[in-house]
Amino acid sequence: MKRRIVLIVLAVCLAAGGALYWATRAEPRYEKYSTTFFSFDTVISIIGYAPDLNTFENVTKKAEERFMELHCLYDKYNAYEGVVNLYTVNTMAASRPVKVPDDLYDLIKYSHDMVPVTKDTVNIALGPVLLLWHDAREAAIANPAAAYLPGIQELQAADQHTDLGKLVLNDAQKTVFFEDPAMQLDVGAVAKGYAAEVVAQEMLKGPMPSFIINAGGNVRTGHPPRDGRPNWGVAVQDPDGYVSGDGVSDVLDILFLHDTSVVTSGDYQRYFEYQGKRYHHIISPVTLMPTDFFRSVSIVTESSAYADLLSTCLFLMPYEEGRVFVESLEGVEALWILNDRSIRMTDGLKDKASSQGASNPNPNQ
Ligand code: ADP
Ligand code: MG
């Protein structure tokens, strides 16, 4: 009898211990951590919910290294020792097919294949035209008194060398060749978003899938924050706002989302002024000039590469045309800030926007 009681007590203890073990194992505590670093000519921040600081640091160190590596590959202005990057392609690909690393080939291929999807608006072969605008912007920023606009004849001459049909890609060899010696690729419309998607996909497979990456307004959210809130809050910047200490004055709307991207193209991100008028960095392949249909457009779709490509594309279309276009795309939503600062959004965003009454309750607080 005594032996039976001892056995029962032992069994109860084991069961309780086991339950406690599984309870603590199944529910590790998640802490919120954040970090920032500089890459892709912008500040990149990552916030994540991790079981401990060590996990967070390991994950974000790897993410930072990937961003640095990809930026070096997609850089068209600088050469790096021992690296075949976009600069190498732009200087060598007219004389021979250049074999490039997979990460660069994949981006060029993606951008090339998406041209028909963007209705010929985003053309990575627009390099010669974009370079003229880049030089004018740099000159004006260095010395506003010396600001000038690229001449239309100069722009039209450069536009003679923007035919994407003259870009020869070899999928088997991963080589890039220019049939036009004056061809220059510029992947600025998609590179940052593409890189953020590469990093996000790697992070989703790792030990910290609950994260948000903000690469200078190019936002990629992972799984929901592990503090009870169903979503991440993604701010839509006021085009006339300013980045203040608490960020409040800079926000026009907030979108509550997870496992998706929000990428914005706006007239306030990179620009210069000439004779009192603003000239930004998104150039119509038709007029060869910046557009002024509205102030900004934010695209919401899962892939940050697609969102980046579409944000530049939509920025080049009048609001009405862009709206019909976005509504024809599967899994894509958009928010525009018009010239009078009013907000328009596709129906799929209405239950996600704070301006429409959406919120992000935290039941644990
Ligand atoms: P950001 O670089 O501020 O994130 P975008 O994603 O809209 O903004 O990309 C703008 C960049 O895309 C420009 O700096 C330029 O390098 C490139 N670009 C501008 N217009 C075009 C175009 N019509 N086709 C392809 N690339 C473009
Ligand atoms: Mg873009």
Side-chain angles (χ1 to χ4, degrees), residues 122 187-193 218 263-265 282 304-313:
V122 180
V187 293
V190 66
K192 203 163 19 119
N218 206 308
V263 178
T264 301
S265 286
I282 304 174
S304 149
Y306 191 34
D308 197 359
L309 192 84
L310 286 178
S311 76
T312 310
C313 161

Side-chain angles (χ1 to χ4, degrees), residues 1 30 59 68 74 87 127-128 143 157-158 193 199-200 208 228 269 279 294 298 313 327 338 340 355 361:
M1 184 66 186
Y30 288 89
V59 168
M68 297 295 186
Y74 304 161
Y87 178 85
N143 178 12
V199 172
M208 194 187 74
Q269 288 163 327
Y279 292 87
F294 44 79
S298 302
C313 161
E327 281 167 357
L338 303 188
D340 65 2
S355 65

Side-chain angles (χ1 to χ4, degrees), residues 314-332:
L314 263 290
F315 199 78
L316 292 165
M317 290 181 187
Y319 161 69
E320 292 77 10
E321 183 187 337
R323 179 146 190 157
V324 172
F325 175 52
V326 169
E327 281 167 357
S328 75
L329 300 173
E330 190 68 28
V332 182

Side-chain angles (χ1 to χ4, degrees), residues 33-45:
Y33 301 99
S34 66
T35 186
T36 59
F37 51 89
F38 195 82
S39 186
F40 278 86
D41 301 322
T42 190
V43 175
I44 300 187
S45 74

